[in-house]
């Protein structure tokens, strides 16, 4: 058999497989429509929660656990994420508020978590994202919470102090920064970027461009916009901003830490059920007494509940009073976590559960 005939046979097989995939996607979409009909049938006039974070997390975990290659586990999960996004849009189109502007890493995190079949609305500040979700203008919001090299985003923590919103998911996004210019021959004397990004690329900049002025701006997308219109300007930003403003990558992946990752939170108005592999986030105000932090942490240690993060922020109730933000493994529906929270609550001035939610799958 000739090369052309062998390729023809394989291409016919691909066409046949594509047809089967297309039929199965449409069959799944029809099931999604029936799910919506059943929910509406039994809603009794109450608000319906079409998007179920715990269910999506369970589906993606099953996809990865049964995958046998050659497609990688995460690549296969991303394909299914988009299929689920399309199907969910047939049940209920979602409007997602995120910390903008367009082209930021927060927008990338929103699309990674919800897929591309949602409407993303950029907001100027983190409090604006909270307000959009609280008002019902958006069903969910996406905000950054911490970076692996630069630490916590305090504006997000502070917004939780008075907000009634629940954390219903998390996204871990690998952050790759690039030095962007208008053309490969651009000459520049200033570099725009967000302060966090400048900090994450400090060593590289000191080594390669020590005498170029570094100018902080509100977002990497704004930095890219300025670099696209100003003579003698460069920007540090990611792929989305580079594509949005048509910029050339003079140097790629310039972050100092190769595993640079930012964690984002998904916020909404509804509580999330257990997915089987969850986290719980808490806000605890301790009493002003000796050993206050010990009394907060001891119940977790005694019950063997692992803490994944603890942060301290000044309380708004008075000088030298503090609030502890804690992430622990498990769900509030788990009996061991439930008992720990009862024990912590007895010794705390205030205990607020910010949400239980599935651990990041991708």
């Amino acid at each position: 058999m000739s090369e052309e005939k062998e390729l023809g046979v394989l291409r016919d097989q691909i066409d046949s497989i594509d047809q089967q995939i297309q039929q199965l996607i449409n069959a799944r979409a029809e099931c999604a429509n029936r799910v919506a009909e059943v929910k509406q049938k039994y809603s009794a006039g109450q608000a319906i929660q079409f998007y179920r974070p715990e269910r999506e997390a369970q589906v993606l975990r099953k996809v990865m656990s049964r995958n046998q290659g050659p497609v990688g586990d995460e690549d296969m999960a991303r394909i299914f994420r988009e299929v689920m996004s399309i199907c969910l849009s047939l049940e209920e189109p979602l409007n997602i508020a995120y910390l903008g502007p367009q082209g930021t890493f927060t927008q990338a995190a929103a699309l990674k978590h919800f897929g591309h079949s949602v409407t993303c609305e950029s907001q100027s500040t983190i409090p604006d994202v909270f307000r959009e979700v609280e008002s019902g203008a958006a069903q969910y919001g996406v905000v950054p919470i911490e970076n692996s090299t630069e630490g916590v985003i305090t504006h997000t923590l502070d917004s939780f102090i008075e907000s009634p919103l629940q954390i219903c998911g998390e996204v871990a996004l690998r952050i790759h920064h690039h030095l962007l210019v208008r053309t490969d021959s651009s000459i520049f004397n200033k570099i725009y970027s967000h302060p966090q990004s400048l900090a994450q690329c400090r060593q590289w900049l000191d080594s390669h461009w020590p005498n170029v002025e570094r100018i902080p701006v509100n977002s990497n997308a704004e930095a890219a916009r300025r670099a696209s219109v100003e003579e003698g300007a460069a920007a540090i930003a990611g792929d989305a901003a580079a594509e949005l403003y048509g910029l050339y990558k003079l140097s790629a992946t310039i972050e100092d830490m190769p595993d640079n990752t930012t964690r984002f939170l998904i916020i909404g108005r509804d509580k999330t059920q257990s997915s089987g592999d969850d986290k719980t986030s808490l806000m605890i105000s301790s009493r002003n007494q000796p050993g206050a932090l010990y009394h907060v942490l001891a119940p977790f240690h005694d019950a063997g509940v692992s803490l994944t993060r603890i942060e301290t922020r000044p309380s708004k109730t008075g000088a030298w009073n503090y609030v502890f933000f804690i992430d622990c493994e498990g769900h509030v529906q788990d009996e061991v976590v439930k008992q720990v929270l009862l024990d912590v609550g007895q010794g705390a001035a205030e205990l607020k559960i910010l949400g239980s939610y599935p651990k990041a799958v991708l």
Side-chain angles (χ1 to χ4, degrees):
M1 185 182 294
S2 68
E3 176 184 355
E4 188 58 35
K5 286 185 177 180
E6 284 196 52
L7 289 175
V9 171
L10 292 173
R11 286 165 181 159
D12 287 342
Q13 290 179 2
I14 289 174
D15 289 343
S16 176
I17 293 170
D18 286 346
Q19 182 179 358
Q20 295 174 55
I21 292 172
Q22 187 174 350
Q23 291 172 343
L24 290 172
I25 290 175
N26 281 317
R28 194 188 194 283
E30 289 177 359
C31 279
N33 280 330
R34 291 200 293 271
V35 167
E37 292 171 358
V38 171
K39 288 181 178 180
Q40 291 169 344
K41 178 180 177 181
Y42 293 99
S43 66
Q46 298 180 347
I48 304 172
Q49 186 180 359
F50 289 97
Y51 171 63
R52 299 296 297 268
E54 72 282 0
R55 168 62 180 162
E56 291 208 355
Q58 290 167 347
V59 170
L60 292 176
R61 289 175 195 148
K62 288 179 181 178
V63 166
M64 296 174 74
S65 67
R66 68 173 176 247
N67 187 48
Q68 297 181 354
V71 177
D73 291 351
E74 291 192 3
D75 288 333
M76 183 63 73
R78 277 193 287 270
I79 294 171
F80 270 79
R81 165 65 77 194
E82 292 300 330
V83 171
M84 289 192 292
S85 180
I86 293 168
C87 292
L88 179 61
S89 70
L90 299 176
E91 297 182 54
E92 180 191 36
L94 290 183
N95 190 34
I96 311 300
Y98 70 94
L99 179 63
Q102 186 179 3
T104 60
F105 288 114
T106 311
Q107 183 186 26
L111 294 175
K112 179 180 179 181
H113 186 82
F114 289 100
H116 286 70
S117 296
V118 297
T119 300
C120 290
E121 298 287 346
S122 69
Q123 305 298 318
S124 299
T125 67
I126 288 172
D128 287 342
V129 176
F130 275 78
R131 279 192 289 270
E132 283 292 290
V133 181
E134 289 173 13
S135 70
Q139 289 99 326
Y140 297 95
V142 183
V143 290
I145 184 63
E146 62 179 332
N147 177 264
S148 59
T149 58
E150 293 302 312
V152 71
I153 288 82
T154 57
H155 292 309
T156 299
L157 290 182
D158 291 343
S159 294
F160 278 113
I161 293 178
E162 297 180 354
S163 175
L165 296 180
Q166 292 278 307
I167 303 171
C168 54
E170 65 173 359
V171 184
L173 188 69
R174 289 289 297 273
I175 303 298
H176 295 301
H177 294 303
H178 315 302
L179 182 64
L180 306 177
V181 292
R182 296 167 71 177
T183 67
D184 59 357
S185 59
S186 292
I187 298 174
F188 57 92
N189 54 25
K190 56 188 172 183
I191 299 174
Y192 291 110
S193 194
H194 188 276
Q196 284 263 355
S197 300
L198 290 173
Q200 292 165 21
C201 304
R202 184 185 300 113
Q203 295 178 20
W204 187 91
L205 289 171
D206 289 344
S207 175
H208 293 82
W209 302 98
N211 298 319
V212 175
E213 183 183 10
R214 305 169 196 178
I215 305 176
V217 292
N218 289 334
S219 71
N220 288 345
E222 172 61 15
R225 187 195 67 80
R226 294 193 184 192
S228 69
V229 297
E230 292 185 20
E231 291 288 343
I236 293 175
D239 290 311
E243 182 177 352
L244 180 63
Y245 292 103
L247 294 175
Y248 174 80
K249 291 182 186 177
L250 188 62
S251 298
T253 58
I254 65 173
E255 61 274 6
D256 296 331
M257 303 295 291
D259 59 348
N260 184 29
T261 302
T262 296
R263 179 173 169 244
F264 300 83
L265 296 178
I266 312 301
I267 54 176
R269 297 184 297 277
D270 299 315
K271 294 182 180 180
T272 301
Q273 301 299 309
S274 174
S275 73
D277 189 13
D278 303 286
K279 286 182 180 178
T280 295
S281 293
L282 312 165
M283 186 186 78
I284 303 172
S285 298
S286 63
R287 302 185 189 280
N288 188 8
Q289 62 185 18
L293 181 58
Y294 169 81
H295 291 295
V296 168
L297 299 181
F300 294 95
H301 174 269
D302 295 342
V305 174
S306 177
L307 301 182
T308 59
R309 183 175 64 95
I310 179 168
E311 301 287 345
T312 305
R313 292 293 296 153
S315 171
K316 297 181 179 180
T317 59
W320 312 118
N321 290 331
Y322 292 91
V323 176
F324 301 107
F325 289 89
I326 292 175
D327 290 349
C328 69
E329 293 190 347
H331 194 280
V332 291
Q333 295 174 344
D334 301 342
E335 288 301 322
V336 62
V337 175
K338 192 181 301 183
Q339 184 59 52
V340 167
L341 298 184
L342 287 174
D343 294 340
V344 171
Q346 291 177 356
E350 181 184 2
L351 170 62
K352 182 179 180 182
I353 300 172
L354 303 180
S356 288
Y357 48 93
K359 294 179 182 178
V361 178
L362 296 178

